[in-house]
């Protein structure tokens, strides 16, 4: 597995993961043009991406989907609530690959676990991506991807307990939250 964080923060989130058999984006929170430029800096191409895995519908994680409409081969993995929420604002229908939150599934040579995380979105998920056969020639590697966490509940800790690499994206700005009229303070 080869992994690179392309960008992380309130203005956008995206990462690149490559295995022997696939190249994927984890979240696509930047325009397609910006994603292409970010990939070029690591010697990769947006045209070579096989799939995008979306954690939730917020723009800083999914805004790039609209610009990917010219890539019909691209599979977009999301749970039903996230896909339905995103589809409302898209002018095209991506090749949705719907998974169930809490499930384990495969894409090419990756095994993916999707599990719920605490965040104010329709049905936000974290991912664990696993690759390899767990033998001398192909050791098993696991990457955890968690975004927008306010806290780490026990079920999330359990899901990422055995990962070798853990990416956590979270930011907390008390002044920004206090000024936000759309979110009640308990959220």
């Amino acid at each position: 597995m080869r992994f690179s964080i392309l960008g992380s923060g309130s203005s956008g989130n995206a990462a690149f993961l490559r295995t022997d058999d696939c190249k994927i984006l984890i979240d696509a929170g930047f325009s397609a043009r910006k994603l292409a430029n970010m990939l070029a800096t690591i010697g990769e191409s947006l045209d070579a991406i096989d799939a995008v895995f979306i954690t939730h519908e917020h723009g800083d994680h999914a805004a790039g989907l609209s610009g990917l409409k010219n890539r019909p081969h691209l599979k977009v993995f999301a749970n039903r609530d996230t896909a339905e929420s995103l589809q409302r604002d898209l002018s095209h229908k991506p090749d949705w690959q719907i998974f169930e939150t809490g499930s384990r599934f495969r894409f090419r040579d990756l095994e993916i676990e999707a599990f719920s995380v605490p965040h104010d979105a329709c049905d936000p998920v974290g991912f664990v991506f696993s690759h390899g056969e767990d033998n001398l020639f192909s050791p098993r590697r696991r990457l955890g991807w968690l975004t927008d966490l306010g806290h780490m509940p026990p079920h999330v800790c359990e899901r990422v307990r055995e990962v070798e690499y853990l990416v956590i994206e979270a930011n907390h700005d008390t002044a920004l939250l206090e000024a936000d009229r759309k979110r009640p303070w308990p959220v």
Side-chain angles (χ1 to χ4, degrees), residues 9 13 18 21 24 38 41 50 62 82-83 97-98 110 132 143 174 178 182 186:
N13 295 276
R18 177 186 185 158
D21 194 34
I24 68 167
M38 292 169 147
T41 66
D50 301 304
T82 299
Q97 304 294 304
I98 305 299
L110 278 174
L143 167 78
T174 305
E178 287 175 358
K182 292 190 254 177

Side-chain angles (χ1 to χ4, degrees), residues 51-52 74-79 83 94-99 105 107:
V52 180
L74 195 62
K75 298 189 178 318
V76 180
F77 287 82
N79 60 35
D95 184 3
W96 292 114
Q97 304 294 304
I98 305 299
F99 61 81
F105 56 96
F107 176 67

Side-chain angles (χ1 to χ4, degrees), residues 1-97:
M1 266 193 323
R2 178 178 160 215
F3 175 74
S4 298
I5 295 174
L6 301 176
S8 177
S10 297
S11 61
N13 295 276
F16 169 80
L17 178 64
R18 177 186 185 158
T19 66
D20 296 333
D21 194 34
C22 66
K23 295 179 180 183
I24 68 167
L25 289 177
I26 309 168
D27 281 333
F30 301 97
S31 71
R33 178 177 291 164
K34 185 158 183 148
L35 286 168
N37 290 338
M38 292 169 147
L39 285 165
T41 66
I42 59 169
E44 297 292 344
S45 164
L46 189 55
D47 292 327
I49 298 297
D50 301 304
V52 180
F53 287 77
I54 302 293
T55 57
H56 63 286
E57 74 275 9
H58 293 164
D60 61 328
H61 295 268
L65 288 181
S66 62
L68 298 175
K69 64 183 169 191
N70 296 330
R71 292 169 174 81
H73 73 281
L74 195 62
K75 298 189 178 318
V76 180
F77 287 82
N79 60 35
R80 184 160 313 284
D81 288 347
T82 299
E84 287 175 358
S85 178
L86 287 167
Q87 187 61 62
R88 286 184 219 124
D89 294 326
L90 293 173
S91 63
H92 72 291
K93 187 169 192 239
D95 184 3
W96 292 114
Q97 304 294 304

